[in-house]
Amino acid sequence: LQHTGLRATMFAISGRLGTRCPSCLTVAELRRMRGSERWDIAFHAGWGHVQVRAAQGGLGAFYATGEPGESFAHWRARVVRDLGTGEQRLERLVPGAQLRLFAVPYSDIGQERGQSPQVRRALARIFGRRFEVSFIQETDPPFARRGQEGYVDRFEIRRGTTATDLLQWLRAGSRRARGAAAGAAAADRGGVGE
C-alpha cells in the first residue's frame, strides 16, 4: 500500500478481538494499521459472524437466519443487538474505526436457503439505516461484479492473493466505472454517444 499510495479497508469481527483467535489480527495490530494512514478499520460483525441452526433445518448465517422457535421480532432484536454492541466494541477497541462501512458476513442478505422476502427487506432496512455502505461478495474467486441492489461488491484478500491479482481487479473496476460514467453522460445528452 505504501509503495502504490493506495488505502485499504480491513473489516474486523469485533466479538473476536481480544480473544485467542488464531486467524484474527490483534487489537494492537489493528490499531497500528489504523495509525499507518494506509488502512481503515471497519465493521464486519459483533459476535454474529457464525452459522446458527436454521428454523428450516441445517445452518445459516447469523444475521439472515431465524433460529428454531424464534419469532420475527426476536430475530430482528437479536440482529440489531449484535450490530449495536459490536459497533460499540470496535469503536472502543480501535478508536477511529469506520463504523459507516459494513461487510455482510457470508454475504448473506437473506437470499440464501429460501429465507422469506420479509427477512431480506428487514435486513436491507437495518443495514441501510446503520451503514452508509454495505459490502457483499458474490464471486469466488472474489473479483468485482455488480452487487445486488443496495450493496457494493468487495474484494477479499486471502493468503494466496498477489499484488498482481489486486491491481488487475482495481484496473477492471476502473474501466467498468469509466464505461458506466460515459454511458450515463451519453444518456444525459439524449442518447448520443461518442
Side-chain angles (χ1 to χ4, degrees), residues 105-145:
Y106 307 106
S107 294
D108 192 342
I109 53 175
Q111 81 281 13
E112 301 294 332
R113 301 183 45 75
Q115 284 107 333
S116 75
Q118 182 183 25
V119 166
R120 189 178 181 123
R121 286 190 304 270
L123 281 176
R125 281 192 306 274
I126 292 166
F127 296 159
R129 287 179 184 146
R130 295 190 88 91
F131 308 106
E132 287 182 35
V133 181
S134 294
F135 293 87
I136 59 171
Q137 181 178 318
E138 294 191 270
T139 57
D140 196 16
F143 291 98
R145 226 170 75 180

Side-chain angles (χ1 to χ4, degrees), residues 10-27 29-30 159:
M10 167 68 68
F11 291 93
I13 303 169
S14 64
R16 294 184 187 165
L17 296 178
T19 68
R20 296 186 187 271
C21 173
S23 62
C24 300
L25 295 172
T26 66
V27 171
E29 289 169 325
L30 289 173
R159 287 189 194 276

